[in-house]
Amino acid sequence: MRNLIYLIIIFSFACNQPTEKTPTTAYVMVLGVAQDAGYPQMNCKKECCKQAWENPELKRTTSCLAIVDPISKEQWIIDATPNIKEQLQLLKQKTGTEKLDGILLTHAHMGHYTGLMHFGREVMGTDNLPVFAMPRMKTFLEENGPWSQLVEIENISLQQLKSDSTFSLNKRIKIKPFLVPHRDEFSETVGYEILINEKTLLFIPDIDKWGKWDTDITELIKKVDYAFLDATFYKNGELKRDMSEIPHPFVEESMLLFSNLSETDKQKVHFIHFNHTNPLLIENSTAQKEVLKKRFNLAKEGQMIRF
Ligand SMILES: [Zn+2]
Ligand SMILES: [Zn+2]
Ligand SMILES: [Zn+2]
């Protein structure tokens, strides 16, 4: 009998050992890695999405990062995606709660803000949830239904951002939005720098070709500690349509541009925001192997970034 009790004690102790230690200071967690439409993409019957339609484990949600502070038990997300419901469940699995203290928006393309609909009357009916947005993005939400209703009945409370101006989410986490060139039909587009413990994470899910930006991305990578960068398309010709209408930097172009970086700097780069046609979504594809061989990284859902 006594041996059995010892066994139970040893067994329960072993079971309580966390497999991956949760950070004790503020950190960033990846909640989604796909382009706006998610993966697989609606109505896609091509080879790119075939496996993912058949195997739900291969599905990927739209790009989204969470910023978590385990000390104050606060958490924020960057972008409210169409997959916000699943993404907040993933967050809850790691932190024990899906409760949000705010949302930071990048721009008004469908993958980046339409998840806000879940905060209205029909679903959560939140009370003044802070939503951080640039001036045009803020006006877009204030002046167009159904988003205007969220503002009017105070489900959300819009907080206007200023580009290149750093502000504090709390005493451990600082944020700096900055403008990037993109197809700005309804709003401007920003990327974010997240500053925690003197370290910086750069997040640019959507941008036009690097050459169109007045910032030298290669120099910027040297200054930050992590860089989560637009990897919508792997290479030219991936879509049948004229790809100059959607001028994202191809991953092949980015890797060439970053090829002279040191190995340490290359390792900071985490590609994210993959279109359904991007072979980086396919596990062990030649493209994935190429990226890893060149010493760059791929963002993964559930990945925790330590500071
Ligand atoms: Zn996007
Ligand atoms: Zn597809
Ligand atoms: Zn976009």
Side-chain angles (χ1 to χ4, degrees), residues 221 227 229 258 265-271 296-298:
I221 292 169
L229 304 179
F258 307 154
D265 285 334
K266 285 180 184 172
Q267 297 252 292
K268 298 172 181 175
V269 175
H270 290 65
F271 289 114
F296 301 104
N297 282 300
L298 300 164

Side-chain angles (χ1 to χ4, degrees), residues 116 119 126 128-131 141 147 150-151 154-158:
L116 289 178
F119 298 101
T126 46
N128 280 304
L129 176 69
V131 172
L141 296 172
W147 324 109
L150 300 175
V151 180
E154 299 180 342
N155 295 130
I156 63 173
S157 161
L158 292 173

Side-chain angles (χ1 to χ4, degrees), residues 119-244:
F119 298 101
R121 250 179 198 152
E122 302 89 332
V123 192
M124 288 184 63
T126 46
D127 178 20
N128 280 304
L129 176 69
V131 172
F132 299 85
M134 291 292 290
R136 267 186 79 201
M137 180 82 222
K138 180 170 174 278
T139 306
F140 172 79
L141 296 172
E142 285 165 336
E143 294 184 355
N144 294 282
W147 324 109
S148 51
Q149 183 175 284
L150 300 175
V151 180
E152 270 155 36
I153 66 174
E154 299 180 342
N155 295 130
I156 63 173
S157 161
L158 292 173
Q159 315 285 317
Q160 185 162 310
L161 295 172
K162 191 165 176 278
S163 64
D164 300 314
S165 160
T166 304
F167 70 100
S168 297
L169 283 180
N170 69 19
K171 58 184 175 188
R172 281 171 291 279
I173 306 165
K174 289 193 175 72
I175 300 287
K176 186 175 90 174
F178 53 89
L179 289 166
V180 297
H182 191 41
R183 295 166 285 112
D184 294 342
E185 302 94 335
F186 300 115
S187 74
E188 61 284 84
T189 302
V190 287
Y192 285 101
E193 281 184 23
I194 305 166
L195 293 89
I196 299 168
N197 291 342
E198 316 274 305
K199 284 191 178 177
T200 305
L201 183 148
L202 180 69
F203 181 40
I204 308 177
D206 260 301
I207 190 167
D208 288 356
K209 298 288 185 198
W210 295 120
K212 285 218 237 164
W213 194 23
D214 52 16
T215 299
D216 183 336
I217 181 63
T218 314
E219 288 304 308
L220 186 55
I221 292 169
K222 291 179 191 169
K223 289 182 200 143
V224 301
D225 299 278
Y226 302 101
F228 282 72
L229 304 179
D230 181 342
T232 309
F233 304 116
Y234 191 69
K235 62 177 179 186
N236 201 5
E238 205 170 301
L239 298 187
K240 293 276 173 282
R241 66 187 273 200
D242 179 5
M243 294 187 77
S244 65

Side-chain angles (χ1 to χ4, degrees), residues 38-54 276-277 282:
Y39 175 70
Q41 180 169 311
M42 188 161 93
N43 205 39
C44 182
K45 300 171 184 76
K46 291 181 294 187
E47 207 52 42
C48 47
C49 292
K50 196 164 173 277
Q51 302 272 325
W53 284 123
E54 287 161 10
H276 68 117
T277 53
I282 310 226

